[in-house]
């Protein structure tokens, strides 16, 4: 997590999105175009990997008792994979729609944290912010926060969010129409494709020891929570570990502003 610059007039951190192109105003247009193409290409690749898992949701949803139309409406309006699976999972074991909705709402709370992080990065207002909220998922968030400028953050967010949305809904329809003929979707490796896509986004950000330790701690806590909690909850628990570390690091005093530092600089 990033923190705002102090009152001393210091410039923002190098990784904080700004309106300037990467590399400064003098960056070559060709390099910027190549960077934008790479972002779009990555977004489409993530859309293919993640959206394909909609086949699984469509088949599972129909097997849980929903019809094709209800299944497609869920993907269009809810559009949060874990929450959708949680809802149909509760229905599949005979649970009430209310308990399924509550479970889905619990898993969707992580999107609120994403929104708090992305709102200042994307800097959208009014209708644009409301529309962007519908594309606020794990993958689009990861593709936005890694960008050094507002324009590239928006491009990463939109290219990924729209690709996943389109392919997820198309795959949901195909999975619902195919029904049980797909068999166990895990046999096709679709569940592994989602995790692999997100790991590919995370890996380049593990560039220093503290970040790697946080990632290992979050992964360990999530693995420990798997046999004890409902599906999707380990993700929330792991996110809580990262959030706690971020709060603790923010509260630590900056050595450059410790008492006596200013006096030492004056002397």
């Amino acid at each position: 997590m990033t923190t705002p610059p102090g009152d001393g007039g210091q410039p923002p951190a190098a990784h904080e999105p700004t309106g300037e192109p990467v590399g400064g105003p003098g960056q070559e247009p060709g390099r910027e175009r190549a960077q934008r193409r790479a972002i779009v290409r990555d977004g489409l690749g993530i859309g293919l990997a993640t959206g394909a898992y909609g086949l699984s949701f469509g088949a599972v949803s129909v097997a849980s008792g929903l019809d094709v139309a209800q299944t497609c409406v869920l993907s269009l309006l809810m559009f949060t994979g874990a929450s959708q699976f949680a809802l149909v999972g509760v229905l599949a074991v005979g649970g009430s729609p209310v308990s399924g909705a509550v479970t889905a709402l619990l898993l969707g709370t992580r999107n609120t944290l994403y929104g708090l992080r992305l709102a200042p990065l994307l800097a959208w207002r009014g209708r644009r912010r409301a529309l962007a909220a519908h594309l606020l998922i794990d993958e689009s968030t990861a593709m936005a926060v890694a960008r050094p400028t507002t324009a590239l953050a928006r491009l990463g967010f939109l290219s990924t969010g729209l690709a996943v949305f389109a392919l997820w809904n198309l795959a949901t329809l195909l999975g619902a129409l195919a029904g049980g003929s797909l068999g166990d979707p895990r046999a096709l490796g679709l569940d592994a494709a989602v995790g692999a896509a997100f790991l590919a986004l995370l890996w380049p950000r593990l560039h220093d020891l503290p970040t790697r330790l946080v990632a290992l701690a979050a992964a360990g806590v999530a693995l420990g929570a798997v046999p004890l909690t409902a599906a999707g909850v380990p993700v929330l628990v792991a996110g809580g570990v990262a959030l706690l570390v971020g709060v603790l690091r923010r509260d630590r005093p900056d050595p450059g502003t410790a008492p006596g530092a200013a006096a030492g600089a004056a002397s």
Side-chain angles (χ1 to χ4, degrees):
M1 296 179 65
T2 60
T3 56
D7 295 332
Q10 297 180 355
H15 57 278
E16 194 74 21
T18 64
E20 291 293 334
V22 182
Q27 184 187 34
E28 302 89 344
R31 181 182 173 189
E32 185 177 358
R33 285 195 297 269
Q35 192 172 27
R36 294 175 67 87
R37 285 196 298 268
I39 292 174
V40 173
R41 182 187 63 242
D42 292 345
L44 292 176
I46 293 168
L48 286 171
T50 306
Y53 200 42
L55 288 169
S56 174
F57 172 72
V60 169
S61 179
V62 170
S64 301
L66 299 181
D67 59 29
V68 174
Q70 290 170 328
T71 298
C72 292
V73 168
L74 269 180
S75 282
L76 282 170
L77 300 183
M78 183 178 286
F79 187 50
T80 53
S83 296
Q84 292 178 231
F85 275 105
L87 175 59
V88 298
V90 171
L91 297 178
V93 297
S96 68
V98 174
S99 62
V102 171
T103 303
L105 181 63
L106 173 64
L107 295 180
T109 55
R110 71 186 189 279
N111 289 28
T112 303
L113 301 178
Y114 294 162
L116 293 175
R117 180 68 179 94
L118 285 184
L121 298 183
L122 300 178
W124 277 321
R125 297 289 185 270
R127 185 184 304 175
R128 290 185 178 182
R129 177 177 289 191
L131 293 175
H134 197 56
L135 301 178
L136 191 65
I137 56 176
D138 299 338
E139 293 79 10
S140 61
T141 299
M143 282 289 284
V145 297
R147 307 303 162 192
T149 72
T150 297
L152 293 180
R154 290 175 175 179
L155 181 62
F157 178 86
L158 288 176
S159 61
T160 306
L162 290 173
V164 174
F165 181 79
L167 292 168
W168 175 268
N169 280 278
L170 176 60
T172 295
L173 174 61
L174 295 177
L177 292 174
S181 62
L182 286 175
D184 186 355
R186 291 174 294 182
L188 303 176
L190 297 177
D191 54 338
V194 178
F198 199 75
L199 180 60
L201 291 174
L202 178 64
W203 191 261
R205 299 180 64 82
L206 304 180
H207 50 74
D208 55 24
L209 182 59
T211 305
R212 294 170 185 167
L213 292 177
V214 171
L216 287 174
V221 171
L223 288 175
V226 168
L228 305 175
T229 61
V233 175
V235 177
L236 296 175
V237 176
V241 172
L243 182 63
L244 177 61
V245 172
V247 171
L248 293 177
R249 293 186 65 181
R250 174 176 290 186
D251 290 341
R252 289 174 56 187
D254 189 346
T257 58
S267 61

